[in-house]
Amino acid sequence: MAETREKLVDVKNLKKYFPLKNSMFKKGNQVVKAVDDVSFHIYKGETFGLVGESGCGKSTLGRTLNRLYDPTAGEICFDGNDIASLNNKQLQPYRKRIQMIFQDPYSSLNPYMTVEEIIDEPLEIHTRLSKGERKKIILDILEKVGLKKEDMEKFPHEFSGGQRQRIGIARALSTNPDFIICDEAISALDVSIQAQVINMLEDLQKELNLTYLFVAHDLSMVRHISDRIGVMYLGKMVEISKSDELYAKPLHPYTQALLSAIPIPDPIKAQNSKREIITGELPSPIEMEKGCRFRARCPFAKPICAEVDPTLKEVEDGHFVACHLY
Ligand code: SF4
C-alpha cells in the first residue's frame, strides 16, 4: 500500500567514507566505509529508531544527516531540499531546524557556562531576538524539560546525569527545531532515568510536533519510542520495518541475533528460549569483500551470499530487508 504521509527526511544512496590516516598498515588510498550507500526516509512527526552494534556507522549516519560531517556522495533531502552539498552559509537556515542531543550530557555541555548561557547560545546565533525575549523562551523551555527557574544560574556539574540530559534537550529545543537527532541520548543514563527521559521526549514530540531519529546500540532501548526501526550492519541498512513488526517477525539473520541478545528478565523463560548467538569475525570496514557483509557470521549463508551484495527490498508492506533468503 502506498504511504501518503509527508517525508521530512529522505536519504538517497548516502555514503560517508573516511580516508585512512597514514600508518604502517595503510595500503594505497584506503578508506573506512562508515556509511555505504544507505537510503531511507523519516516521516514528519515520527520517531525512526536506528540500531546496530558499536562501529556499524549509525552515529556517523546521524552526524552526516545534520552535516556535522560532509557526505562523500548521495542526497539528504530535508523538507524537500537537498542539503548534502550546501556550504556553511547555505546551511544556516537548516542548522536551526535540525538539532542534536548527544550521548554524554556532561562532555557535550560547556562546564564554564551556566544553564542560561548554554540554552541561550543557539538562540543568539540563530535568531535576532532581544536578550529579554530570549530569556522568556529559556524559562519556557526549562519548564518543558522539568527544570526550575533557579537552575538557570547553575553550572552543569551541579546536576545529576538525568538532569544534565534535560539541559541538553533544552538546548536542542531552543531554536524551535523540526527534527532532532538523539545520538545514544539515553545510553549513559540509569534504567529508571532512561524511562523518564523517553517519556519526556514523547510528550515534547506531541506538544511541539517534532520528528526524531533515535540512534541506539540495542533494540530494547528503541522499542518503546520508535514508530519504525532501521537496523545497520557495517555501514549498510539491512532491515527497516514498523517497530512492532520488527520485534514480532525479524527477517534478517542479524536482526534476529540482535533481538535474541536482549536479556529476558524471567529466568524460566530465558532458559527455554532459543537464542541466536552471533559467531564469526566482524569483517574489516576498510577492505570489504564482495557479497553480503554478514556472511562470515551468518548461519544461513549460501553460495550467492559470497558473490552478490543483497539490496534492500520490500518483502511485506513497509518491511524491507537486504538478504538473499527473501
Ligand atoms: Fe546470511 Fe546470505 Fe542473508 Fe547475508 S544474504 S544475511 S549471508 S543469508
Side-chain angles (χ1 to χ4, degrees), residues 199-233:
N199 289 339
M200 188 180 70
L201 287 169
E202 285 181 325
D203 291 345
L204 290 168
Q205 182 173 42
K206 282 187 212 124
E207 189 185 339
L208 305 171
N209 198 21
L210 296 166
T211 302
Y212 293 139
L213 174 68
F214 202 87
V215 179
H217 59 273
D218 83 77
L219 274 161
S220 58
M221 236 177 240
V222 296
R223 180 173 194 164
H224 181 69
I225 195 169
S226 306
D227 298 296
R228 290 184 305 134
I229 294 175
V231 181
M232 273 188 87
Y233 184 76

Side-chain angles (χ1 to χ4, degrees), residues 252-253 292 294-295 298 300-302 305 310 322-325:
H252 197 282
C292 174
F294 189 59
R295 74 177 188 280
C298 179
F300 311 107
K302 34 188 199 170
C305 307
C323 174
H324 292 304
L325 296 176

Side-chain angles (χ1 to χ4, degrees), residues 1 3 228 240-242 245 314-320:
M1 204 172 64
E3 188 53 79
R228 290 184 305 134
I240 299 175
S241 163
K242 285 182 192 126
E245 192 172 322
E314 191 169 13
V315 292
E316 280 171 36
D317 184 25
H319 197 155
F320 298 77

Side-chain angles (χ1 to χ4, degrees), residues 94-159:
Y94 298 99
R95 297 232 181 268
K96 183 174 176 280
R97 297 181 64 190
I98 307 173
Q99 288 288 332
M100 199 142 181
I101 303 169
F102 295 93
Q103 174 178 11
D104 182 352
Y106 199 59
S107 61
S108 67
L109 301 174
N110 186 331
Y112 303 109
M113 286 168 90
T114 63
V115 169
E116 180 176 2
E117 287 165 343
I118 288 170
I119 305 172
D120 191 36
E121 194 178 35
L123 273 173
E124 212 180 341
I125 294 169
H126 294 291
T127 71
R128 293 187 177 179
L129 299 171
S130 68
K131 193 152 177 47
E133 288 168 323
R134 298 201 307 268
K135 192 155 187 163
K136 260 175 87 180
I137 293 175
I138 295 167
L139 281 169
D140 182 44
I141 294 172
L142 281 180
E143 200 188 321
K144 280 190 171 57
V145 301
L147 292 171
K148 299 190 196 84
K149 187 180 175 191
E150 329 46 297
D151 293 329
M152 284 212 295
E153 306 307 321
K154 295 183 187 165
F155 291 88
H157 74 266
E158 296 177 69
F159 295 89

Side-chain angles (χ1 to χ4, degrees), residues 222-264:
V222 296
R223 180 173 194 164
H224 181 69
I225 195 169
S226 306
D227 298 296
R228 290 184 305 134
I229 294 175
V231 181
M232 273 188 87
Y233 184 76
L234 268 183
K236 288 267 186 197
M237 196 74 86
V238 296
E239 187 161 1
I240 299 175
S241 163
K242 285 182 192 126
S243 179
D244 291 344
E245 192 172 322
L246 193 84
Y247 286 87
K249 198 177 163 194
L251 297 180
H252 197 282
Y254 178 60
T255 314
Q256 291 166 3
L258 277 185
L259 275 172
S260 55
I262 297 174
I264 301 170

